[in-house]
Each structure stands twice: as C-alpha cells, then as structure tokens.
Amino acid sequence: ETGVTQSPTHLIKTRGQQVTLRCSSQSGHNTVSWYQQALGQGPQFIFQYYREEENGRGNFPPRFSGLQFPNYSSELNVNALELDDSALYLCASSLGRGPDTQYFGPGTRLTVL
Amino acid sequence: KNEVEQSPQNLTAQEGEFITINCSYSVGISALHWLQQHPGGGIVSLFMLSSGKKKHGRLIATINIQEKHSSLHITASHPRDSAVYICAVLPGNQFYFGTGTSLTVIP
C-alpha cells in the first residue's frame, strides 16, 4: 500500500504565473482534499473532490481550481499567482466523504516572488 | 474569530513530563481530529474522535461534545514528540483547523 505523494516538493514562481500541483492518493481512497498552509498558521481548506466531482469548497477565489482523475489522483491549479499564495500546499486522501481519517501528503512548498 | 482555538500556542517541556494540549471549538461537529506536523511539513493523523476517549501508546485524546472541548495528552514525553500538534474539526465536509501548538521536549 503506497501513501499519499505530492509533486513537486518545492516550486518557485513569479507573480502572475500559473502553477499546477499534483497529488497521488493512497491506494483505494476516492476522496482528496487540498489545503493551504501559510507560515505559522494552521491549514486552510481549499476544496475536496469525491469520485471526480467537487464536493465542497473553502473561501478561495476561482483562480484556485482542481481536478480529480479516474485513478483518484488530483491536481490543484492556481492562476494569476499572487505573493500571498506563497505557502505549503497539502493534499490528503480518505475513503469516502464522511469524517474518515485523512492521510496527508508531504506537501508542496510554493514560493511566489 | 477562529472556529477552532488551541492552547497553549507554544509549549516547552522536560523529557518525561506529562503534557496537555487543549482545543475549543464553536461549531457543531461530526468529528474532531488531532494531527501532528513535523518540521518540513509532513502531517500525520493521530486520532479521530466523535465522543469519549481514545488511547494510542503514550497519547490520549478526549472530547466533551457538550462543552465543545478536546484535549490531547502525552504521557512520559520524549524529544521525538517535538512537533506542532493541530486540532481540526469537521462540521460538514470542510475541515476547520486550529493554528497549532508547537511542542518542544528537552532531553
């Protein structure tokens, strides 16, 4: 059984650029959630996907978008990057939409200059 | 105002001490999670609680649904317990996280 993996580990972009972050869920998990964690803060919920459909969204603008693929891997896309988008982006997979244990990936550290 | 408040924000303990981290929340929830985050970002889910108490090794988590309060206890603390401990609640399908408690255990 493989755990949750994310790529890339680190990324540096400039303001206005676009970025795609990737997450591979734990085997058998059909739900993936994405979180943004600014330095010194707790994670903030971005959105959740269940069986390729968005299943809830936090208070993030539309330039944050996502996809979940048939193999339950997922992407987070951020357009028109802003300096405040610099953060650790975490994905977590779980089995089902309910209050199940979530398994977190190691995160992608995004720096926007 | 945050939906989830943790205390203390920072905690330094001597090896072997008993540690308590508290979490209060203001929304109705279906579950509460305690997470551990090590330097570098990796997050591990320690417990998921909806009532009562759970124990895993030296870690004990309790929740009082009526008082909207949970505690995480670490018995016989060890330097490898040094990490940030985060409380997260699930009112629906969206998690609300506390800002974390940074624990340092000194040998």
Side-chain angles (χ1 to χ4, degrees):
Chain A
E1 181 181 278
T2 58
V4 180
T5 59
Q6 289 186 244
S7 62
T9 307
H10 296 88
L11 197 54
I12 299 174
K13 291 284 189 177
T14 56
R15 212 166 34 170
Q17 284 189 310
Q18 178 266 341
V19 69
T20 297
L21 310 181
R22 295 181 174 83
C23 172
S24 179
S25 300
Q26 182 150 322
S27 177
H29 286 185
N30 55 20
T31 303
V32 65
S33 304
W34 283 93
Y35 302 92
Q36 180 196 66
Q37 187 177 23
L39 200 61
Q41 302 294 316
Q44 297 288 320
F45 175 74
I46 303 175
F47 43 58
Q48 184 185 80
Y49 278 81
Y50 170 71
R51 293 187 173 180
E52 303 176 59
E53 298 284 333
E54 188 176 289
N55 185 50
R57 188 179 181 91
N59 190 26
F60 280 81
R63 59 190 185 84
F64 286 78
S65 63
L67 278 175
Q68 188 181 29
F69 299 101
N71 66 354
Y72 301 137
S73 65
S74 176
E75 286 183 354
L76 164 65
N77 298 289
V78 187
N79 293 321
L81 283 167
E82 301 177 0
L83 297 179
D84 285 348
D85 296 333
S86 295
L88 179 70
Y89 289 85
L90 296 158
C91 78
S93 74
S94 58
L95 184 60
R97 294 174 290 181
D100 294 310
T101 298
Q102 295 204 346
Y103 294 84
F104 285 82
T108 293
R109 175 76 60 188
L110 172 65
T111 302
V112 182
L113 303 176
Chain B
K1 182 185 182 302
N2 290 336
E3 289 82 3
V4 183
E5 300 280 351
Q6 283 185 240
S7 64
Q9 282 190 309
N10 296 284
L11 184 56
T12 301
Q14 291 289 331
E15 183 173 357
E17 284 187 7
F18 180 84
I19 289 161
T20 296
I21 299 170
N22 295 300
C23 174
S24 296
Y25 53 91
S26 59
V27 294
I29 66 170
S30 56
L32 179 145
H33 291 241
W34 280 102
L35 310 170
Q36 180 192 56
Q37 186 171 31
H38 283 284
I43 289 182
V44 174
S45 180
L46 299 174
F47 294 104
M48 182 182 73
L49 293 164
S50 53
S51 65
K53 173 173 137 176
K54 286 190 176 180
K55 184 175 189 290
H56 185 256
R58 295 180 294 105
L59 301 179
I60 302 167
T62 64
I63 188 168
N64 185 318
I65 296 293
Q66 288 74 30
E67 294 185 4
K68 295 186 175 176
H69 181 268
S70 176
S71 293
L72 176 67
H73 307 283
I74 304 175
T75 61
S77 59
H78 190 276
R80 65 174 173 266
D81 298 327
S82 298
V84 175
Y85 292 83
I86 302 171
C87 170
V89 300
L90 193 65
N93 64 351
Q94 173 179 343
F95 272 100
Y96 291 94
F97 293 84
T99 54
T101 294
S102 179
L103 171 65
T104 302
V105 181
I106 300 169

